[in-house]
Amino acid sequence: MITVHHLNNSRSQRVLWLLEELGLDYEIARYQRDAKTMLAPPELRKIHPLGKSPVIQDGEVLVAESGAIIEYLVEKYGDGRLVPPAGTPDKLRWRYFLHYAEGSLMTPLLMKLVFDRVESAPAPFFVRPIAKAIAGKVKKSYILPQIRQHLDYLEGELAGSEWFAGSAFSAADIQMSFPLEAATARGGLDGARPRLAAFLQRIHARPAYQRALERGGPYELLR
């Protein structure tokens, strides 16, 4: 039995979705973020030293990191599903987007989240305007342009196909879901980029995606 160490409102929702797409049985060990800090609870450190989610246990095997988990599950249980054939251009795109999602796209989105909190964090009255001004300048001059550049790039990448790794839905689309949902929630992704908006509509309509939401519970990134 596969166990998913699932943190609410986190990347681990993608793992539940993948397991549903593959039709695998699994159990969920649930963890809740601290309501004030939004950090994972210390109990997760008992599972993995970094105390992050997602982490899965499959027998004696422990796997962390979303991309590594997706590759592990597809290779072990996929039977050729959700991955393009080896040696094809689509397989190279599949591998690229599997790593791009966290290696490149999530960086400016995470930075925006951090600097948004700097702007709104409690501080002495004489410090608050300085912190707010610095955070606003960093977002305006670097973070927001970076996010726009990534979103424009991805909008173009979907010009020739509905999916990121070719004509068929794949695990690369599952991996790309979280940063694009995060961009919708806090990074400016809206109907002005119709291909990305349509991609999100397609994945949200998938029965396996809906089942994963039912199993995983509230997923606030969608707000």
Side-chain angles (χ1 to χ4, degrees), residues 17 33 38 99 109 127 158 180-181 186:
W17 177 19
R33 294 181 182 275
M38 297 305 294
H99 295 282
L109 292 168
V127 173
L158 291 179
L180 289 176
E181 288 170 338
R186 56 178 180 257

Side-chain angles (χ1 to χ4, degrees), residues 8-11 13-14 17 174 176-187 189-190 196-197 199-206 209-214 216-223:
N8 66 308
N9 303 332
S10 79
R11 292 161 169 83
Q13 186 64 40
R14 286 182 296 199
W17 177 19
I174 295 176
M176 286 293 293
S177 66
F178 182 85
L180 289 176
E181 288 170 338
T184 301
R186 56 178 180 257
L189 177 55
D190 55 24
L196 291 176
F199 169 83
L200 289 172
Q201 289 178 348
R202 286 193 295 275
I203 65 172
H204 293 163
R206 293 183 70 85
Y209 185 97
Q210 296 294 328
R211 292 196 300 271
L213 284 180
E214 293 174 4
Y219 186 43
E220 301 299 332
L221 284 180
L222 296 181
R223 293 184 178 180

Side-chain angles (χ1 to χ4, degrees), residues 5 31 41-52 55 57 62:
H5 295 274
Y31 304 83
E43 289 80 8
L44 262 173
R45 293 195 188 97
K46 298 177 183 177
I47 307 303
H48 188 279
L50 294 180
K52 305 292 185 181
V55 177
Q57 288 178 297
L62 187 73

Side-chain angles (χ1 to χ4, degrees), residues 14-50:
R14 286 182 296 199
V15 177
L16 304 184
W17 177 19
L18 174 61
L19 290 166
E20 291 291 343
E21 291 282 358
L22 292 174
L24 300 177
D25 292 330
Y26 62 95
E27 296 177 343
I28 300 177
R30 300 180 185 275
Y31 304 83
Q32 291 292 316
R33 294 181 182 275
D34 183 279
K36 293 183 178 180
T37 67
M38 297 305 294
L39 297 176
E43 289 80 8
L44 262 173
R45 293 195 188 97
K46 298 177 183 177
I47 307 303
H48 188 279
L50 294 180

Side-chain angles (χ1 to χ4, degrees), residues 125-194:
F125 74 92
F126 56 89
V127 173
R128 190 178 305 117
I130 299 173
K132 188 173 182 178
I134 293 173
K137 185 172 183 179
V138 172
K139 289 198 300 181
K140 182 178 180 179
S141 63
Y142 177 74
I143 298 174
L144 293 178
Q146 282 289 306
I147 293 175
R148 287 194 294 269
Q149 183 178 6
H150 279 284
L151 295 180
D152 288 342
Y153 162 67
L154 294 171
E155 181 75 8
E157 287 296 295
L158 291 179
S161 174
E162 290 185 341
W163 306 110
F164 281 104
S167 60
F169 172 79
S170 75
D173 300 299
I174 295 176
Q175 178 76 332
M176 286 293 293
S177 66
F178 182 85
L180 289 176
E181 288 170 338
T184 301
R186 56 178 180 257
L189 177 55
D190 55 24
R193 294 181 177 85

